[in-house]
Amino acid sequence: MEIHTYEKLWFGAALVLIVAFIATISYGAVGAGISMIDDEGGTVAPDELSEHERFGNPGVYQVNETHYEVNAIAAQFAYQPRNLEVPANSTIDFYITSRDVIHSYSIVDTNVNLKVIPGQISKVTVEFDEPMESAIICNEYCGDQHHFMETGFTVVPEEEWDDDEIPSVDEMGGDA
Ligand code: CUA
């Protein structure tokens, strides 16, 4: 059986494409640090957030010198806390939930892109090495002012960061 030269060429090109596609998908799955949110964060009653230990007083809490927790709420049509600041060279555990409908908590120019579901706590741990100025935006259509859901996000240089202003995780509580 004779196979035409051009047919062989196209056959080869198709094979290269298939291998390349599998390689990019494999890289995206394991190499790029992309992970799905699981149920590790637990659940919460969306209408009782003000009494919740984590969400009664949303903000940044300190675990130790380089480790912090951020408790945040997404709601129509704003985030709490607004204009979030965290220090450079830190590890941040984000705990995010929604007061009403599905939103997202997406930090521009990072790979943080969390879906935020009422009743669920989305938890993700992120390391911020370099100072940066960015924004938190919503990528899930959540109503007629969806496009106004934006607030600032800053990774502050270590020398400008003051831990004295940051409550410890032990001070977290719903009554504050
Ligand atoms: Cu919240 Cu779109």
Side-chain angles (χ1 to χ4, degrees):
M1 187 181 73
E2 195 204 320
I3 302 174
H4 198 279
T5 312
Y6 281 129
E7 203 167 354
K8 279 187 198 163
L9 271 176
W10 283 113
F11 182 71
L15 212 60
V16 167
L17 270 184
I18 290 168
V19 170
F21 286 154
I22 292 174
T24 57
I25 290 169
S26 306
Y27 173 73
V30 295
I34 295 168
S35 61
M36 300 300 289
I37 296 301
D38 56 23
D39 56 7
E40 183 194 349
T43 59
V44 62
D47 50 356
E48 291 170 14
L49 294 183
S50 55
E51 289 104 65
H52 191 270
E53 188 193 10
R54 241 177 221 298
F55 299 107
N57 196 7
V60 184
Y61 292 84
Q62 184 169 28
V63 180
N64 62 39
E65 265 175 40
T66 57
H67 190 179
Y68 301 82
E69 292 184 2
V70 168
N71 301 324
I73 299 172
Q76 290 167 318
F77 293 94
Y79 294 103
Q80 273 181 284
R82 301 185 68 78
N83 297 319
L84 180 65
E85 293 189 347
V86 298
N89 289 312
S90 66
T91 302
I92 313 288
D93 297 326
F94 285 92
Y95 294 84
I96 324 278
T97 194
S98 167
R99 197 187 294 285
D100 37 44
V101 300
I102 293 177
H103 301 273
S104 91
Y105 196 88
S106 307
I107 305 179
V108 179
D109 294 331
T110 73
N111 58 2
V112 178
N113 185 17
L114 290 171
K115 194 169 200 169
V116 183
I117 302 168
Q120 294 279 336
I121 301 172
S122 302
K123 188 197 168 201
V124 71
T125 299
V126 187
E127 291 176 15
F128 293 99
D129 299 329
E130 300 294 327
M132 74 182 290
E133 293 264 355
S134 185
I136 299 162
I137 59 167
C138 182
N139 281 335
E140 296 280 342
Y141 183 72
C142 52
D144 61 357
Q145 292 173 64
H146 155 74
H147 54 291
F148 290 128
M149 276 195 74
E150 177 178 345
T151 195
F153 176 76
T154 309
V155 181
V156 178
E158 270 180 292
E159 59 273 17
E160 293 171 25
W161 180 262
D162 186 3
D163 271 335
D164 293 345
E165 294 169 19
I166 307 300
S168 146
V169 282
D170 304 328
E171 295 166 56
M172 222 183 265
D175 308 322

